[in-house]
Amino acid sequence: MKQDYFDRIYEKTYRPLLHYAIVHLSDPLDAEDALQNVFVAFYRRIESRGHADILAPQAFLLKMLKREIIAHYAERSAVETEPLEDDVAADPLSFEDAAEARIMAGQVFDAARTLSKDAYRVFVLYYGFERSVAEIAKEMQLSEEAVKSRLFRGRNAVRRMLTHGTNH
């Protein structure tokens, strides 16, 4: 039952919490790491103390994530961590189509990771979270033109990397 509760809350909260982390951390890979830490701590908490007292799970997790982000910035000058592999949810496509789509998406986002941190954040918010240019500009406190420029340069750089195998 605890596992079912955790799985249900994870499904409902992962994307909005990851979006929050990406907006508030300078590196999307750090955002993924911070969110993983939060879910591990949340799982341990419900394993040891249950979840009956958690009335608003998303708010509870958001508070945990805010603390994790604060800790990240407090330790920022310390050791850099290795990027984590992306987990892709099961897709209603056929197994072959889903596997091919996952490989292609992985290649695109692996190539995008070589972009500057800000360009990668814009890329992930636009393509990964389907945010509009206006939403990204507001969230990152940039002009819409700056967002469009980063998207244009990022797309071109990723396209070059995927078609020619070059980094610039």
Side-chain angles (χ1 to χ4, degrees):
M1 176 144 144
K2 292 176 185 175
Q3 183 66 44
D4 292 339
Y5 174 80
F6 176 83
D7 291 343
R8 191 172 64 251
I9 298 305
Y10 180 90
E11 281 295 316
K12 289 180 181 177
T13 61
Y14 181 82
R15 286 183 61 87
L17 290 174
L18 181 59
H19 177 258
Y20 181 90
I22 287 173
V23 169
H24 289 86
L25 287 167
S26 59
D27 185 344
L29 299 175
D30 289 340
E32 292 170 2
D33 194 31
L35 190 55
Q36 179 184 8
N37 292 342
V38 166
F39 277 113
V40 167
F42 179 67
Y43 185 82
R44 288 180 181 149
R45 195 268 190 203
I46 62 174
E47 277 291 304
S48 66
R49 295 175 40 199
H51 59 81
D53 62 327
I54 301 173
L55 302 178
Q58 186 163 349
F60 185 86
L61 286 164
L62 181 59
K63 188 173 186 177
M64 290 176 72
L65 181 57
K66 287 178 180 179
R67 288 182 183 148
E68 185 72 23
I69 290 169
I70 291 167
H72 167 80
Y73 281 114
E75 299 169 2
R76 188 173 185 169
S77 61
V79 180
E80 290 285 324
T81 59
E82 289 294 315
L84 302 172
E85 290 296 317
D86 292 315
D87 289 329
V88 178
D91 195 317
L93 301 172
S94 73
F95 175 77
E96 293 82 9
D97 290 343
E100 185 176 335
R102 181 177 179 163
I103 290 168
M104 291 174 71
Q107 290 172 340
V108 168
F109 280 93
D110 283 345
R113 283 189 176 119
T114 65
L115 301 171
S116 70
K117 288 181 182 181
D118 283 344
Y120 183 59
R121 282 176 73 191
V122 168
F123 193 91
V124 169
L125 289 170
Y126 188 80
Y127 290 106
F129 288 94
E130 300 176 354
R131 296 287 188 221
S132 70
V133 168
E135 289 171 322
I136 296 168
K138 182 177 178 185
E139 290 171 12
M140 291 184 65
Q141 298 177 346
L142 298 169
S143 70
E144 288 186 25
E145 290 305 313
V147 171
K148 289 177 187 177
S149 176
R150 288 181 179 146
L151 279 172
F152 177 78
R153 288 192 313 264
R155 271 193 304 264
N156 286 339
V158 168
R159 185 178 298 119
R160 277 192 308 274
M161 284 181 260
L162 293 175
T163 59
H164 303 296
T166 60
N167 287 338
H168 297 288

